[in-house]
Amino acid sequence: MKILVPIKRVVDYNVKIRVKTDNSGVDLANVKMSVNPFDEIAIEEAVRLKEAGKATEIIAVSIGPDKAQEQLRTAMAIGADRGILVQTNDEVEPLAVAKILKAIVDKEKPDIVILGKQAIDDDSNQTGQMLAALLGWPQGTFASKLEIEGGGLKVTREIDGGLETLMLKLPAIITTDLRLNEPRYAKLPDIMKAKKKDLAVMSPADLGIDTAPRMKTLKVAEPAKRKGGIKVASVDELIGKLKNEAKVLS
Amino acid sequence: MSVLVLAEHDNANLKPSTLNTITAAKKVGGEIHVLVCGSGCSAVAQAAAKIEGVSKVLKCDAPEHANGLAENAAPVIAGLAKNYSHVLAPATTYGKNILPRTAALCDMQQISEIIAVESPDTFQRPIYAGNAIATVQSNDAIKFITVRGTNFDAAASSGGNAAIEDIAAKGDSGLSGYVGAELSKSERPELTSAKIVVSGGRGVGSAENFKIIEKLADKLGAAVGASRAAVDAGYVPNDYQVGQTGKVVAPDLYVAVGISGAIQHLAGMKDSKIIVAINKDPEAPIFSVADYGLVGDLFEIVPEMEGKV
């Protein structure tokens, strides 16, 4: 069984981002970049399936600038067998990402594609569902548990009311939620080994995909700031303020 | 211009998220139709027909829609979409699961989780966990949009009198099947629409200790929430999680107990009207967004508060 894991190079989740003063976007100069955390969970899950003898090969794929090779090396250090970079300096929207991934799937013929449920930069939460639509495959989104069972995939999903379990036919799309697993840290020997793994580079045009955007960002602004309030000294004072000042308790 | 709104429901009741989405549809303008895709969902269609501002309800009632499987719902919505300028769904796990699949079937780029409608083609949406707000313009022929409910008031659930039209189902995809669900049962208000939310974090320390949070919530008639740390530690189930990747809430009163205030948590609650923080660490970031902060031992403060409200 072959698993494809798409990953995105994003601003590290610990970075406090700054909006550019001309409101054209977010300042990404000299900011630490990492693998999108949900994608790291996706790689870890694929590696666990391989360690359990269920998967035979893991391919990591990224769409982005040349530097996204760093994130592909990280994926290979965690355990992906090889990498593919679809190199572009343009911002690629989720639908175009899904089209590129479909072209890769058509070539590589994986049984499962595991993606992060969303990237922490644009917070779109679309790519996995779109890829599933384009391929005509079932989708197990926001997964917190994955079991291969009788030739299908049993997936537990985190939904608003609790948890839901679905049985999917293979091939299938999975998108990861936070509690699917806790990704390991890559060990130094694995980081060294990852440098020798195969990494193919191609362009969206090589795959015949048009990535022209459908949306235009007119403005990026700071959200309205909350003013810090006051500290109260006691429960009585707190309740008094909530009743008489804020009027949220009666 | 006309807008199709995907109703969220459990075949018996319409979910409140549908009402917020309809308000967003009103801001877009044009006629509003609601699609109820379910099984034995006549009561839901009737409730949708009474919502103020809705002119037609489309009901797709078939066994394969009983559990809201995206593989079955997306082709139905995609088949209708060409008749509309906009297709809206709530940005809940239901809408987030189904709508992007539908948008891709129609070769359209979705606009996710909008918080404001500036014009029929221009919307505001949070990016970077709400640390920036992007204004985006779509040039797609059909705008597929998910709507963050807390940023739009609920439409009135009465006053309307829309016609209900049955539409044909497209059959079971055979790709996926429903096995079961473990839903949290609670008499408390729903987290995303509650007027008061009491949330606990890692500082609460255990599932057992979480009872003091629940007692305070029950005294206040509040919903119970939690930080990711508390969910990861197993104190409460996943559906309690408030934050960037959990639920976004904006109640009149949000009480954060033993929550330090990571940006991922703040992203889920900073639009609350009044925020109270109870934490033993006076330097905790949660105090920078709290209207009222109380530094101290939550195990003394919370029971005292419960006794006095």
Side-chain angles (χ1 to χ4, degrees):
Chain A
M1 181 177 291
K2 208 161 154 180
I3 303 180
L4 185 75
V5 183
I7 60 171
K8 186 176 184 183
R9 173 183 168 91
V10 297
V11 173
D12 187 85
Y13 83 103
N14 283 312
V15 171
K16 177 114 184 59
I17 57 112
R18 282 192 322 269
V19 170
K20 286 187 192 167
T21 47
D22 65 357
N23 291 123
S24 64
V26 167
D27 193 357
L28 297 181
N30 303 315
V31 168
K32 187 185 177 202
M33 304 296 280
S34 296
V35 177
N36 177 46
F38 289 101
D39 304 347
E40 221 171 343
I41 295 171
I43 302 161
E44 176 67 34
E45 195 64 18
V47 172
R48 288 186 190 188
L49 285 169
K50 192 176 170 193
E51 285 168 348
K54 307 264 164 94
T56 50
E57 190 186 21
I58 302 164
I59 307 156
V61 54
S62 192
I63 299 159
D66 204 40
K67 284 197 159 172
Q69 292 199 24
E70 293 167 9
Q71 281 66 44
L72 285 166
R73 294 291 172 199
T74 303
M76 290 189 273
I78 296 171
D81 296 293
R82 59 189 169 95
I84 300 170
L85 173 64
V86 182
Q87 202 263 322
T88 170
N89 291 322
D90 298 334
E91 211 167 294
V92 187
E93 292 172 352
L95 179 61
V97 170
K99 288 178 180 177
I100 291 171
L101 293 176
K102 179 181 184 292
I104 303 266
V105 168
D106 289 343
K107 271 169 100 162
E108 298 286 351
K109 309 218 176 329
D111 302 278
I112 308 175
V113 183
I114 311 180
L115 308 88
K117 76 166 180 179
Q118 72 193 69
I120 60 164
D121 49 6
D122 63 17
D123 285 329
S124 286
N125 195 333
Q126 298 177 12
T127 304
Q129 297 89 313
M130 288 184 151
L131 178 60
L134 298 179
L135 289 165
W137 290 8
Q139 65 188 50
T141 53
F142 327 139
S144 64
K145 196 175 173 194
L146 211 57
E147 295 156 279
I148 293 174
E149 216 180 81
L153 203 52
K154 192 172 163 192
V155 51
T156 304
R157 308 177 54 230
E158 296 203 356
I159 58 168
D160 289 335
L163 297 171
E164 175 185 89
T165 304
L166 302 179
M167 194 70 201
L168 308 181
K169 279 199 177 147
L170 289 173
I173 302 289
I174 295 295
T175 78
T176 63
D177 217 318
L178 291 170
R179 279 165 283 272
L180 184 59
N181 61 51
E182 234 173 277
R184 70 196 69 187
Y185 290 101
K187 294 190 196 80
L188 188 61
D190 294 325
I191 295 171
M192 301 310 289
K193 249 191 275 170
K195 290 185 177 164
K196 296 202 182 74
K197 289 184 180 174
D198 182 47
L199 199 167
V201 180
M202 58 190 78
S203 72
D206 292 339
L207 297 163
I209 305 299
D210 172 15
T211 60
R214 311 285 192 87
M215 285 196 299
K216 199 158 86 183
T217 299
L218 305 179
K219 189 173 115 182
V220 175
E222 294 243 10
K225 279 239 170 7
R226 267 195 99 90
K227 282 186 290 221
I230 57 161
K231 293 242 169 75
V232 293
S234 68
V235 169
D236 290 323
E237 189 187 351
L238 175 62
I239 293 173
K241 295 274 186 199
L242 292 176
K243 283 185 175 166
N244 305 319
E245 197 173 83
K247 298 190 186 346
V248 287
L249 290 185
S250 51
Chain B
M1 218 160 37
S2 54
V3 185
L4 181 67
V5 172
L6 176 64
E8 179 172 7
H9 62 89
D10 61 4
N11 294 313
N13 296 297
L14 199 61
K15 295 272 167 82
S17 57
T18 311
L19 299 173
N20 307 96
T21 307
I22 285 170
T23 298
K26 286 183 183 172
K27 300 212 160 152
V28 168
E31 212 170 294
I32 299 171
H33 297 178
V34 173
L35 170 64
V36 177
C37 210
S39 175
C41 55
S42 292
V44 178
Q46 279 157 18
K50 292 196 183 80
I51 300 169
E52 200 229 308
V54 173
S55 59
K56 199 201 285 184
V57 174
L58 305 172
K59 179 164 72 98
C60 184
D61 197 334
E64 70 267 19
H65 294 304
N67 298 298
L69 294 175
E71 294 80 359
N72 293 338
V76 173
I77 308 162
L80 296 167
K82 61 180 183 304
N83 305 321
Y84 297 90
S85 58
H86 296 73
V87 180
L88 271 55
T92 55
T93 51
Y94 175 77
K96 287 174 176 178
N97 185 42
I98 294 174
L99 206 68
R101 187 175 179 107
T102 314
L105 290 177
C106 297
D107 194 29
M108 300 289 157
Q109 173 56 54
Q110 175 179 297
I111 306 135
S112 290
E113 206 145 0
I114 63 161
I115 56 170
V117 177
E118 289 200 352
S119 77
D121 69 358
T122 305
F123 312 92
Q124 288 180 16
R125 56 178 305 265
I127 55 174
Y128 290 91
N131 288 298
I133 306 296
T135 304
V136 295
Q137 186 176 37
S138 162
N139 60 16
D140 269 337
I142 309 168
K143 279 132 187 91
F144 283 83
I145 295 169
T146 58
V147 175
R148 182 177 282 188
T150 51
N151 290 82
F152 298 90
D153 292 334
S157 55
S158 62
N161 185 23
I164 299 172
E165 189 181 302
D166 277 301
I167 58 164
K170 299 199 173 224
D172 190 345
S173 73
L175 296 171
S176 61
Y178 180 80
V179 178
E182 283 172 51
L183 302 180
S184 293
K185 290 216 169 49
S186 169
E187 299 299 312
R188 298 189 187 101
E190 198 192 22
L191 189 51
T192 51
S193 52
K195 292 256 182 277
I196 304 178
V197 174
V198 183
S199 283
R202 195 192 293 281
V204 177
S206 70
E208 183 62 26
N209 291 348
F210 224 87
K211 292 208 177 82
I212 67 166
I213 304 291
E214 291 168 349
K215 275 189 185 162
L216 175 60
D218 290 342
K219 191 77 182 285
L220 292 167
V224 177
S227 68
R228 177 186 171 187
V231 177
D232 284 356
Y235 305 167
V236 287
N238 66 283
D239 49 295
Y240 283 42
Q241 186 175 323
V242 171
Q244 176 191 12
T245 62
K247 286 179 180 146
V248 176
V249 302
D252 292 342
L253 173 60
Y254 187 88
V255 184
V257 182
I259 292 176
S260 63
I263 54 170
Q264 288 80 6
H265 185 74
L266 301 184
M269 45 66 87
K270 66 185 167 57
D271 291 332
S272 304
K273 200 169 137 211
I274 297 290
I275 296 173
V276 169
I278 297 167
N279 204 298
K280 66 174 185 223
D281 174 9
E283 303 302 320
I286 190 78
F287 286 118
S288 69
V289 300
D291 299 279
Y292 304 110
L294 183 50
V295 178
D297 182 356
L298 70 92
F299 298 105
E300 288 168 16
I301 293 170
V302 174
E304 184 186 344
M305 203 172 158
E306 188 218 326
K308 289 180 173 172
V309 290

